[in-house]
Amino acid sequence: MKKRYRNPPIIEALCEFQFEPEAQWDWTVPGIFYTKVQKKYIQRREERAIAIHIDAQTGSVSNVSGESDSRKMVFLTEEGKDLIQVAPHFLAVNRLAPYTGWENFKPQ
């Protein structure tokens, strides 16, 4: 039996994919991708991202945002609880609270 919380502790679930940065990127990809999901993800917006790198060995921090395009496209459902983020060499699928379980998140 699954335990149900009165105030579920998960405020966001996400599945993130990062692809080889050496692969060529084409900015038509988000538009092509959007044609496949636009019936459910009806809202879209462009965002800027800030990327930093923390070296696990030394703890040094460096800003890597300037190394590549830091724009991304975000596609959202009408209520804004489910979203997909597409950027160069990056894809993420997010679910904001309330998280309704893996059985609902997995198909996204």
Side-chain angles (χ1 to χ4, degrees):
M1 184 170 123
K2 291 182 181 181
K3 183 174 183 177
R4 298 283 179 186
Y5 294 91
R6 182 176 301 153
N7 295 309
I10 298 176
I11 58 170
E12 182 175 10
L14 70 100
C15 181
E16 180 180 308
F17 301 91
Q18 293 189 18
F19 304 97
E20 292 295 327
E22 293 81 25
Q24 188 172 357
W25 175 256
D26 181 343
W27 270 107
T28 63
V29 169
I32 295 167
F33 185 86
Y34 185 66
T35 64
K36 306 291 186 190
V37 300
Q38 67 184 346
K39 288 183 181 173
K40 180 174 181 179
Y41 295 86
I42 60 173
Q43 300 179 60
R44 64 184 186 274
R45 66 178 182 240
E46 182 179 330
E47 292 183 353
R48 294 233 175 243
I50 297 172
I52 61 169
H53 178 264
I54 302 173
D55 187 292
Q57 301 296 320
T58 65
S60 65
V61 178
S62 60
N63 182 338
V64 295
S65 294
E67 293 180 7
S68 64
D69 199 320
S70 60
R71 293 178 298 159
K72 66 180 177 180
M73 290 302 302
V74 180
F75 309 124
L76 302 98
T77 55
E78 184 174 8
E79 67 281 353
K81 299 292 185 181
D82 295 294
L83 55 134
I84 299 172
Q85 302 175 71
V86 180
H89 317 296
F90 175 86
L91 172 69
V93 179
N94 307 59
R95 169 65 194 191
L96 304 178
Y99 178 64
T100 56
W102 176 247
E103 60 280 351
N104 294 324
F105 183 65
K106 183 181 177 184
Q108 301 308 315

